[in-house]
């Protein structure tokens, strides 16, 4: 079991992002970008990252999207978030209950998540195209990888 990417932890991260963007809804692609930026904020000239830089980060985006989808199902079933169908697809929004739930989280990690969520939402939503942001993340990882290979070793974060 991976405690940093289990359904409950991913659901809490998604809820923190949705609560910060309230009342604006967020689609799954943008949540994927925001979740990545929130956890690896130091790589994007933001506050220090909450999770370490790993060589396998390019593979994280696909897994992250699936985990977020599962986390959003947990949130909607519990009444902490709601889903709405729009012309652009499905979007998610925290409910009043969800925002209240985020407000009672008291751990240091939860406070750091909320801080990084504020930064990520202000930095990337709504003016960022999620697909372009994901391409940019992957291009950055490819450049890091190639730089590491030219130096004759594995990349380090």
């Amino acid at each position: 079991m991976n405690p940093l990417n289990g359904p409950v932890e991913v659901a809490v991260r998604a809820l923190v992002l949705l609560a910060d963007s309230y009342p604006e809804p967020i689609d799954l692609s943008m949540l994927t970008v925001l979740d990545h930026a929130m956890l690896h904020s130091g790589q994007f000239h933001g506050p220090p990252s909450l999770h370490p830089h790993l060589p396998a980060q390019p593979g994280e985006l696909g897994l992250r999207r699936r985990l977020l989808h599962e986390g959003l199902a947990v949130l909607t079933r519990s009444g902490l978030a709601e889903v709405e169908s729009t012309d652009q697809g499905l979007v998610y929004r925290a409910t009043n209950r969800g925002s209240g739930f985020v407000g009672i989280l008291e751990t240091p990690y939860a406070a750091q998540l909320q801080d990084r969520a504020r930064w990520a939402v202000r930095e990337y939503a709504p003016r960022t195209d999620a697909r372009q942001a994901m391409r940019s993340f992957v291009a950055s990882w490819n450049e890091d990888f190639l730089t590491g290979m030219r130096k004759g070793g594995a990349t380090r974060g």
Side-chain angles (χ1 to χ4, degrees):
M1 180 170 103
N2 186 345
L4 295 178
N5 283 311
V8 173
E9 204 251 341
V10 173
V12 168
R13 291 194 326 241
L15 185 58
V16 168
L17 288 163
L18 292 172
D20 192 81
S21 72
Y22 186 85
E24 295 300 317
I26 305 175
D27 69 13
L28 182 57
S29 293
M30 182 53 71
L31 271 171
T32 303
V33 168
L34 293 174
D35 187 57
H36 182 78
M38 176 174 63
L39 297 178
H40 301 289
S41 51
Q43 294 176 284
F44 304 102
H45 309 292
S49 297
L50 292 174
H51 290 191
H53 178 73
L54 301 171
Q57 266 185 350
E60 275 187 39
L61 287 177
L63 177 61
R64 183 180 312 277
R65 184 177 172 90
R66 183 182 59 78
L67 291 169
L68 280 165
H69 188 263
E70 292 171 8
L72 289 165
V74 169
L75 294 175
T76 56
R77 281 193 309 263
S78 64
L80 298 174
E82 57 191 14
V83 61
E84 177 185 335
S85 178
T86 68
D87 292 341
Q88 291 78 36
L90 298 177
V91 293
Y92 300 86
R93 180 181 294 121
T95 62
N96 287 336
R97 218 171 121 191
S99 293
F101 180 83
V102 169
I104 64 169
L105 298 174
E106 295 182 354
T107 66
Y109 183 73
Q112 291 175 331
L113 276 178
Q114 291 174 44
D115 178 55
R116 297 329 185 271
R118 274 189 296 280
W119 172 81
V121 168
R122 300 303 172 271
E123 189 71 23
Y124 291 100
R127 66 184 185 281
T128 300
D129 175 88
R131 287 188 176 108
Q132 184 57 40
M134 286 186 207
R135 279 188 221 108
S136 175
F137 292 165
V138 172
S140 171
W141 295 322
N142 287 340
E143 184 58 35
D144 286 351
F145 176 77
L146 292 173
T147 299
M149 293 304 291
R150 282 192 289 266
K151 290 180 179 177
T155 59
R156 291 191 240 291

